[in-house]
Amino acid sequence: MKKTRPVNLDLSTIHFPLTAIASILHRISGVIVFLSTGLLLWLLGLSLASPEGFLQASKVMDNFIFKFILWGILSALAYHTFSGIRHMMMDCDLLGVTLRAGKLSAQISLLISMLFSILSGVFIW
């Protein structure tokens, strides 16, 4: 059997729908949250170890680069949380199974996570 299906390897010509982008971002944010847990636990352990450790953790958190990293972690956590709520509502059939409902819920979860990202940036700085 000869397969003559066209193969498109140029990723710049592929246009993903919003629902696919939201799903891919949910997976990426989950990986970011998982990997950043170690950093946050290390910082918590350092701050609870001794008064000197607390001062050292405070010094680390005053660094601009660490504040930027922390903002990224909180933004990923916010997106992952709201997108996860969206996925659970879809699984429980609370949003409907239409394409319109999927697009609307993806837009709403992106908007809410952007607002929380802005608020977390204001809180950090």
Side-chain angles (χ1 to χ4, degrees):
M1 180 194 248
K2 185 178 180 183
K3 294 185 179 184
T4 59
R5 295 183 354 192
V7 177
N8 183 7
L9 297 177
D10 187 11
L11 295 177
S12 65
T13 61
I14 298 173
H15 300 287
F16 291 109
L18 181 62
T19 53
I21 294 170
S23 180
I24 292 168
L25 287 176
H26 178 72
R27 293 166 194 230
I28 292 171
S29 65
V31 170
I32 292 170
V33 169
F34 176 74
L35 294 177
S36 64
T37 302
L39 175 69
L40 296 176
L41 286 176
W42 167 78
L43 190 62
L44 178 65
L46 180 66
S47 69
L48 295 176
S50 65
E52 294 82 20
F54 180 79
L55 291 175
Q56 189 178 2
S58 296
K59 189 176 181 181
V60 168
M61 290 195 59
D62 284 338
N63 187 357
F64 176 78
I65 294 171
F66 188 80
K67 284 184 180 184
F68 188 73
I69 291 170
L70 184 62
W71 176 71
I73 292 169
L74 290 176
S75 298
L77 179 63
Y79 180 77
H80 191 73
T81 301
F82 292 117
S83 183
I85 291 170
R86 171 184 171 257
H87 280 287
M88 287 191 310
M89 290 175 71
M90 288 169 42
D91 289 342
C92 294
D93 202 20
L94 296 174
L95 296 177
V97 289
T98 63
L99 181 60
R100 184 173 180 265
K103 284 182 181 179
L104 182 63
S105 64
Q107 289 172 346
I108 290 171
S109 68
L110 280 168
L111 180 68
I112 292 173
S113 62
M114 279 187 216
L115 290 174
F116 270 79
S117 179
I118 292 168
L119 287 175
S120 66
V122 169
F123 179 72
I124 290 172
W125 279 286

